[in-house]
Amino acid sequence: MTSSLQSKTSTTSNRGRYPATPGPGPAGATAPPRSGALRRARTGWLFASPALLVVTLVTVFPVVFSLALSFTDVRLQYGGIHLGSPTLVHYEALLGNSEWYRALAFTLGFTIISVLLELVLGTLVALVLERLGAARGWLIAVLLLPWALINVVAAQLWSYLFNGTYGAVSWLCEQALGSQPDILGRPAPAIAAMVAVDVWKTTPFVAIVVLAGLMLIPAEVYEAAELDGAGAWTTFWRVTLPQLKPIVAIAVLFRILQAFGIFDLPFVLTQGGPGTATQSVAMLGYRVLFQDLDFGGGAAVAVSTAAIVMVCCLVFLRVFRAQADEEVQG
């Protein structure tokens, strides 16, 4: 009698002190309605809709409109442009134009040379910065100054330095070689000068990206390599470089996208000259579209450039993924 009374009392007190544990419930009971989650999702889409609309207007619409123009007979009339019947004449004219091939060759060569130089120099700079102590922050700030400059401002600055009359670079070449070279007036020196300016400006970006990858490598990996008797060169090729491959791939991908669309450097430094030696694909599209007022032809140049860049990026990612899979399997 007393024990049953005590058990009832303890059960009653526990009910008041702790929340009751829900039981299995009836057989026909369902989960609580998801109206709250749906309401939050709708609210999120509502707040994100202005940004999505801006992205669509700024990015998606120009791409679709350029694609439509490149396959359409576009005529410039008094009231604006007139879209005619579908046609392939713009791409036929593009493939038969030697100027487009020269612009494509210059753009490809400029992209390959500049990206390779920036990758090598940026990696060396990152390795040096990794070993520094308190001075690392100041050096990073100084290195970022060229990259922080607007491309047009940097190109204009270097145009003063390359000037044949009062340029500092021309004066130094005259002191060293005995004659004042025409740097921007000849094809080979003009291309070399353009590559040098791009490397000067963009190497800090690659260095910072590679430095971030170096800081993420665990110290235990280097300790294990040291215990195995690996030297500095072997450690770099067998330990550091494989660990950096993902971050290097991202840096190279960004640089390919930027370098292939180069416009401001040749536009300010050489106007695509001498002749068409430094005319990039982007400059050719600008000239066809805005100077010749050939909207269909300019759109064809832009679409073909975007297609080439996309193919190059896909091939690069496929090769990188294949190498990564081989390392994992090995």
Side-chain angles (χ1 to χ4, degrees), residues 8 19 51 63 186 199 237 239:
K8 289 181 180 181
V63 171
R186 299 171 59 189
V199 170
W237 281 105
V239 178

Side-chain angles (χ1 to χ4, degrees), residues 262-289:
I262 180 175
F263 174 82
D264 33 31
L265 283 182
F267 185 81
V268 175
L269 288 176
T270 61
Q271 290 290 319
T276 57
T278 59
Q279 179 177 244
S280 63
V281 177
M283 280 196 66
L284 177 63
Y286 167 81
R287 186 180 62 78
V288 172
L289 181 60

Side-chain angles (χ1 to χ4, degrees), residues 315-328:
V315 170
F316 174 78
L317 291 176
R318 180 66 61 87
V319 172
F320 173 77
R321 183 176 298 177
Q323 291 180 354
D325 293 340
E326 290 179 0
E327 292 179 358
V328 171

